[in-house]
């Protein structure tokens, strides 16, 4: 059933010519937006009615940056997110069972731990090889058995773009930064395809409960096969824009793949390329050294290699999505992307967490999308102050970028943060760091409608589908969400948003979450 008539308190359509308090859809597309009483008379009686007099209805939310397959699998692994101490993390590790010979986990964040994580501490919790990814996935914590399986010893050199953290005696501590994780990753058991698809199906249902109707996914070919299998089985009920890694570039070009190709459910985005690491792992690449000592971070791809790749991609009709967090990486990304030929989709910078004032208007001038994740802000703000000092003024510059005319495509970076878009919207509206009460650079806060636009129309523009998604207008796909309260009417710092519940999620006209699903 892909038809319905929904009446509500307020509709946000993102189109001034299309207003009302009711919306009618059929055959998966919006037929009309208008006055509730009039539509009630007009719409045939066989069409299901949803009468939600207190609800706010918005376009379906699209998560602009996900690792959906990784999230789907991690839902089944030890979750270390929120562990406040080393011993709390180890307690959780002790409770899990090994799967195919390995203990797998995710989500640790040692930035506030008194004792740093190392392999010996982990050895005490499990003798089975263990591989635990950090919350930002830019570091791994491995025990002695895990390093032994991978053959990592004191003689192993740091791979390009990676670092094996070592103790004063030169022994690996068990912490592997960035590409050093790849020394162990090939030894990890791979999920069986049927298991991955089953987990992705469960994760899709969880996404629908959050009001998510689409995502821009950044992953490898296994997950793409998972999405394809779901689509073939007519199970895919998320609009997926898929960004493969740049390592796939030659294969994509050989197959004449171009951005924008695909189906209404699964479309090819741009190739993803890393220019640096993260703030949390001290690998974000900055123009000047970190304030609290040390270097300027870790550039991950040389300029020549990056330029060759992005040029080949764009000339073949493939958009480019560049991971850039530090101000040096962001400048490099702008330098690389600005001269590229246009493709069906705009080029984009992923994260864009710190920008030098001199570069503020450059993304807008070149039509480059800023794909940002507000939910990182509360945890990152104290780190940014300590490590970037006054350069923090250029961090998470939502409002200034928007004012400059930049398209913001907002997302979560799940599983680095929760995929719950309420958390991201609230963080963009409030900018309140963890364990603080006041906003951080309050002038950079977004209004509710601006943040919501970033999760809807912004992502439609980034996906090249603004003609049929991101607005509630006649002819557009019927992808929409009903919320139980109107978060715009309250305090304006996002608290009301956190309490809003999703009543109904509709994708392609089908109720995928709600009273009749
Ligand atoms: Zn990511």
């Amino acid at each position: 059933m892909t038809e319905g008539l929904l009446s509500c308190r307020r509709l946000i359509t993102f189109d001034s010519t299309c207003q009302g308090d009711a919306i009618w859809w059929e055959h998966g597309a919006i037929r009309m937006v208008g006055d509730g009483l009039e539509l009630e008379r007009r719409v045939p009686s066989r069409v299901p009615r949803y009468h939600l007099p207190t609800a706010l209805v918005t376009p379906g939310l699209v998560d602009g940056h996900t690792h959906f397959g990784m999230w789907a699998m991690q839902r089944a692994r030890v979750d270390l997110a929120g562990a406040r101490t080393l011993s709390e993390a180890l307690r959780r590790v002790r409770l899990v069972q090994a799967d195919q010979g390995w203990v797998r986990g995710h989500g640790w964040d040692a930035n506030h731990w008194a004792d740093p994580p190392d392999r010996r501490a982990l050895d005490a919790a499990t003798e089975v090889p263990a591989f635990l990814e950090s919350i930002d996935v830019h570091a791994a914590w491995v025990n002695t058995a895990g390093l032994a399986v991978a053959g990592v010893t004191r003689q192993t050199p740091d791979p390009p773009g990676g670092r094996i953290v070592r103790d004063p005696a030169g022994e690996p501590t068990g912490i592997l930064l960035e590409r050093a994780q790849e020394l162990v990753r090939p030894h990890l058991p791979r999920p069986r395809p049927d298991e991955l698809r089953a987990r992705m199906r469960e994760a899709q249902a969880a996404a629908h409960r959050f009001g998510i109707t689409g995502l821009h996914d950044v992953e490898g070919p296994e997950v793409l096969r998972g999405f394809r299998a779901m689509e073939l089985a007519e199970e895919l009920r998320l609009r997926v824009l898929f960004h493969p890694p740049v390592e796939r570039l030659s294969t994509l070009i050989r197959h004449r793949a171009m951005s924008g190709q695909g189906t209404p459910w699964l479309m090819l985005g741009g190739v993803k390329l890393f220019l640096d690491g993260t703030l949390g792992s001290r690998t974000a690449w900055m123009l000047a050294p970190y304030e609290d000592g040390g270097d300027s971070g870790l550039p991950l791809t040389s300029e020549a290699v990056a330029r060759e790749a992005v040029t080949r991609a764009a000339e073949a009709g493939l958009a480019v999505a560049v991971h850039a967090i530090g101000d040096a990486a962001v400048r490099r990304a702008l330098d690389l992307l600005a001269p590229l030929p246009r493709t069906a989709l705009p080029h984009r910078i992923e994260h864009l967490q710190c920008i030098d004032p001199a570069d503020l208007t450059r993304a807008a001038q070149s039509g480059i999308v800023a794909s940002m994740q507000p939910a990182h802000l509360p945890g990152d703000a104290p780190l940014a102050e300590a490590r970037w000092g006054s350069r923090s003024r250029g961090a998470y510059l939502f409002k200034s970028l928007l004012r400059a005319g930049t398209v913001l495509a907002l997302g979560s970076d799940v599983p680095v943060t929760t995929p719950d878009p309420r958390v991201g919207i609230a963080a963009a509206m409030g900018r309140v760091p963890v364990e603080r009460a006041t906003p951080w650079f309050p002038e950079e806060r977004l209004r509710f409608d601006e943040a919501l636009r970033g999760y809807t129309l912004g992502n439609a523009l980034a996906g090249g589908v603004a003609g049929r998604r991101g607005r509630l207008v006649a002819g557009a796909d019927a992808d929409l969400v009903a919320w139980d309260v109107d978060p715009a009417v309250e305090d304006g710092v996002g608290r009301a948003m956190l309490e809003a519940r999703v009543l109904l999620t509709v994708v392609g006209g089908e109720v995928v979450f709600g009273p009749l699903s």
Side-chain angles (χ1 to χ4, degrees):
M1 187 138 46
T2 58
E3 54 189 355
L5 171 61
L6 168 55
S7 58
C8 60
R9 180 173 171 274
R10 188 164 83 105
L11 271 164
I12 296 181
T13 62
F14 291 123
D15 186 304
S16 56
T17 66
C18 196
Q19 300 290 328
D21 59 0
I23 182 166
W24 171 26
W25 66 92
E26 57 176 13
H27 310 304
I30 296 167
R31 173 81 185 267
M32 193 177 286
V33 170
D35 174 68
L37 292 174
E38 194 196 319
L39 281 181
E40 182 57 49
R41 274 195 303 274
R42 217 169 139 159
V43 175
S45 57
R46 64 178 160 76
V47 173
R49 261 68 170 168
Y50 306 92
H51 186 56
L52 304 170
T54 62
L56 170 73
V57 171
T58 70
L61 273 67
V62 174
D63 189 324
H65 186 117
T66 68
H67 308 278
F68 186 77
M70 195 190 282
W71 178 53
M73 291 307 294
Q74 278 172 4
R75 285 159 45 87
R77 292 181 189 144
V78 57
D79 179 8
L80 300 172
R84 291 168 158 266
T85 60
L86 174 68
S87 53
E88 167 62 16
L90 294 172
R91 190 188 64 77
R92 295 187 197 178
V93 170
R94 278 190 202 99
L95 296 176
V96 293
Q97 305 235 317
D99 179 33
Q100 302 182 72
W102 281 78
V103 165
R104 301 285 299 277
H106 166 265
W108 57 273
D109 178 359
N111 278 299
H112 302 288
W113 293 359
D115 308 302
D118 65 16
R119 67 186 162 89
R120 288 184 210 289
L122 191 51
D123 290 346
T126 176
E127 291 172 355
V128 176
F131 185 85
L132 310 175
E133 287 161 327
S134 66
I135 184 79
D136 63 10
V137 211
H138 286 252
W141 176 17
V142 186
N143 63 359
T144 303
L147 292 177
V149 169
V152 175
T153 65
R154 58 181 300 142
Q155 276 82 35
T156 310
D158 286 350
R163 193 178 296 152
I164 301 168
V165 178
R166 298 164 204 265
D167 65 17
E171 288 292 334
T173 65
I175 300 298
L176 305 174
L177 297 180
E178 304 295 345
R179 301 236 167 99
Q181 298 176 71
E182 301 311 318
L183 297 167
V184 180
R185 239 180 243 287
H187 299 274
L188 299 175
R190 298 166 85 79
R192 295 176 300 279
D194 54 338
E195 185 193 356
L196 178 63
R197 195 177 119 201
R199 300 267 181 227
M200 286 171 70
R201 222 172 22 227
E202 291 163 14
Q204 171 175 267
H208 290 153
R209 289 196 288 276
F210 289 130
I212 293 171
T213 61
L215 33 101
H216 296 182
D217 199 54
V218 185
E219 286 186 303
E222 261 168 49
V223 176
L224 179 59
R225 280 194 287 275
F227 282 126
R228 282 218 179 101
M230 286 175 74
E231 186 182 18
L232 215 61
E234 295 185 15
E235 294 168 350
L236 188 58
R237 290 294 176 270
L238 289 168
R239 313 287 187 176
V240 180
L241 182 71
F242 194 85
H243 300 302
V246 72
E247 289 74 20
R248 307 287 299 165
L249 182 56
S250 295
T251 311
L252 290 164
I253 292 175
R254 205 165 49 241
H255 288 96
R256 298 185 200 287
M258 299 210 295
S259 295
Q261 289 173 341
T263 68
W265 294 105
L266 184 53
M267 215 170 87
L268 183 61
V271 290
K272 166 88 181 290
L273 177 85
F274 282 90
L275 288 185
D276 68 344
T278 66
L279 169 61
S281 297
R282 284 177 167 279
T283 48
W285 178 35
M286 299 297 286
L287 291 164
Y290 281 55
E291 300 289 324
D292 52 350
D295 53 24
S296 303
L298 192 63
L300 290 184
T301 312
S302 77
E303 180 168 14
V305 168
R307 192 176 299 282
E308 201 263 342
V310 301
T311 307
R312 266 179 79 209
E315 283 174 355
L318 289 159
V320 181
V322 175
H323 168 116
I325 287 187
D327 54 10
V330 169
R331 177 168 294 172
R332 172 68 55 81
L334 291 163
D335 291 345
L336 290 170
L337 299 186
L340 293 181
R342 299 295 291 255
T343 65
L345 309 187
H347 304 298
R348 50 197 280 169
I349 298 178
E350 303 301 317
H351 311 305
L352 212 157
Q353 282 179 9
C354 188
I355 189 165
D356 187 85
D359 296 323
L360 182 61
T361 58
R362 293 181 62 199
Q365 280 158 7
S366 304
I368 295 166
V369 168
S371 165
M372 300 176 79
Q373 299 79 38
H376 288 318
L377 181 146
D380 272 0
L383 293 179
E385 283 176 354
R387 295 175 183 180
W388 295 347
S390 61
R391 289 170 285 174
S392 298
R393 178 63 188 90
Y396 292 96
L397 231 48
F398 306 125
K399 193 76 159 201
S400 294
L401 284 164
L402 197 64
R403 279 219 187 93
T406 321
V407 171
L408 294 186
L410 300 182
S412 71
D413 205 4
V414 63
V416 182
T417 63
T418 168
D420 186 344
R422 296 177 306 174
V423 174
I425 290 174
M429 291 173 71
R431 293 184 68 97
V432 180
V434 283
E435 290 171 13
R436 284 194 210 165
T438 51
W440 193 60
F441 301 114
E443 60 278 23
E444 294 296 334
R445 286 180 297 184
L446 295 182
R447 294 191 315 263
F448 173 68
D449 63 304
E450 292 168 333
L452 180 70
R453 187 183 286 257
Y455 276 94
T456 53
L457 189 53
N459 279 318
L461 290 162
V465 289
R468 59 177 198 273
R469 310 247 175 87
R471 293 187 182 98
L472 299 181
V473 294
D477 290 333
D479 297 356
L480 51 102
V481 184
W483 306 86
D484 69 340
V485 296
D486 189 337
V489 298
E490 273 192 58
D491 50 31
V493 294
R495 252 174 254 125
M497 187 67 214
L498 285 176
E499 279 150 33
R501 278 182 315 128
V502 172
L503 297 173
L504 195 73
T505 306
V506 177
V507 184
E510 187 183 327
V511 174
V512 292
F513 172 69
L516 295 184
S517 66

